[in-house]
Amino acid sequence: MHHPVDRSALDLLDAHLEALWGGADLPLPRLLPAPDGADELVRWALDRLQAIPHEPKDVFRRQVGSLVTEFRSRQCPWNAAALRLFDDVYTFIATGPRRHQDWAHDVLAVLHRKVRDPRGWIRLDWDRDNDARHTVPAYPFDPPDAGQFPDHLHPLEADAAADALAVMTEEWQGEFAPVRHRPDRDAVLADARTLLQRYGPTARYWTNATAAAGDPAPDFITPGLQDTGSHGFLTSEYIKGLDLFDDLGLIAVADDEVGVFWSIGAF
């Protein structure tokens, strides 16, 4: 079982960098004690931050954004793979602790942002600070109750789960380079397998894709994301002129963790 570590220095620096990226005017953070092996990473990031000119502000913010991505990638291979795959597509990627025999309750805790990653690794969440959550608390999700999960999810074999993650790197509309035609297809699939290896060899996988209703090993790569039907987990609320029209989800269930990977189509 993996236990949380003292990540105060890493977490505080990450939050500081993200605030600078968002336009906040903050002084250089005070260097705090870091967990074993993290001091070098913290000092590297602070040195890089000090070297970035503060003017012009738009250039400063872009360079801080690049630093945030590299800082997170350097923390562990899982972070790096997640960012390579999903940093520029509308996805929700998060892991939470497994605390219930009925893991649907743990998945709901992740979707509602009630738990943190047990290992302190990153989550990718475009809507974490979206004020749409005042209207729909789990935005962009309006998931079914735990008791209804069996009606919305189907079991998936590990290889098919990796394929599902791979096609989540595609765009729902106007995809110009589907995974099936990409020269880096093998690298994309390797990163997908890296993400799933976190959950161990006995992990079970579930998807809302209707293609898995009668087959735990459907082909996701050939049809691609745009031709993948699903049982929707998204809200139907129309907020700020944004219509959430389609989704593909994957849930990884291990003995001590649940991983939630979701691709969201919107226009």
Side-chain angles (χ1 to χ4, degrees), residues 150-157 160 206-220 229 231:
D151 297 327
H152 292 76
L153 297 172
H154 307 290
L156 205 58
E157 294 181 2
W206 303 80
T207 181
N208 67 332
T210 55
D215 180 5
D219 179 7
F220 288 102
H231 305 290

Side-chain angles (χ1 to χ4, degrees), residues 184-198:
D184 65 343
R185 168 178 167 166
D186 289 345
V188 170
L189 287 167
D191 276 342
R193 288 190 290 270
T194 293
L195 295 184
L196 297 185
Q197 284 167 4
R198 165 181 185 160

Side-chain angles (χ1 to χ4, degrees), residues 8-260:
S8 56
L10 292 170
D11 290 345
L12 287 173
L13 182 53
D14 187 280
H16 188 95
L17 292 173
E18 186 164 305
L20 290 174
W21 188 12
D25 185 12
L26 299 172
L28 194 69
R30 181 172 62 89
L31 186 61
L32 297 175
D36 291 343
D39 283 303
E40 183 178 347
L41 178 59
V42 169
R43 292 182 185 278
W44 168 84
L46 288 174
D47 287 345
R48 284 282 303 273
L49 178 60
Q50 285 180 303
I52 299 175
H54 282 244
E55 298 291 343
K57 292 189 180 299
D58 60 333
V59 176
F60 173 74
R61 288 177 62 184
R62 285 199 301 272
Q63 292 190 23
V64 170
S66 297
L67 174 57
V68 169
T69 299
E70 189 170 354
F71 175 65
R72 291 170 175 170
S73 294
R74 287 185 175 216
Q75 291 183 36
C76 67
W78 196 92
N79 283 5
L83 288 166
R84 280 194 297 267
L85 290 178
F86 302 121
D87 195 37
D88 60 353
V89 288
Y90 189 4
T91 52
F92 176 87
I93 312 296
T95 297
R98 170 91 183 271
R99 294 171 174 162
H100 301 84
Q101 180 67 27
D102 181 359
W103 47 262
H105 297 285
D106 301 307
V107 171
L108 288 173
V110 173
L111 294 177
H112 284 271
R113 287 88 164 178
K114 292 181 177 179
V115 292
R116 300 187 62 178
D117 188 298
R119 309 189 201 187
W121 295 353
I122 64 165
R123 66 172 52 201
L124 301 179
D125 182 1
W126 283 35
D127 297 297
R128 181 184 61 185
D129 299 318
N130 192 336
D131 57 16
R133 294 185 60 203
H134 297 311
T135 303
V136 181
Y139 190 89
F141 302 103
D142 182 16
D145 295 334
Q148 297 176 306
F149 268 44
D151 297 327
H152 292 76
L153 297 172
H154 307 290
L156 205 58
E157 294 181 2
D159 287 345
D163 290 350
L165 287 186
V167 298
M168 289 185 196
T169 67
E170 300 179 4
E171 298 284 355
W172 281 96
Q173 292 183 306
E175 175 57 56
F176 66 94
V179 170
R180 62 183 177 271
H181 296 318
R182 291 183 192 173
D184 65 343
R185 168 178 167 166
D186 289 345
V188 170
L189 287 167
D191 276 342
R193 288 190 290 270
T194 293
L195 295 184
L196 297 185
Q197 284 167 4
R198 165 181 185 160
Y199 306 101
T202 62
R204 292 172 294 151
Y205 301 100
W206 303 80
T207 181
N208 67 332
T210 55
D215 180 5
D219 179 7
F220 288 102
I221 301 294
T222 299
L225 187 65
Q226 295 180 61
D227 292 318
T228 301
S230 65
H231 305 290
F233 270 60
L234 303 178
T235 178
S236 60
E237 292 280 350
Y238 187 69
I239 302 175
K240 294 183 177 180
L242 191 64
D243 185 17
L244 306 177
F245 65 90
D246 220 336
D247 65 323
L248 172 62
L250 174 72
I251 296 169
V253 180
D255 291 339
D256 54 359
E257 293 182 326
V258 292
V260 179

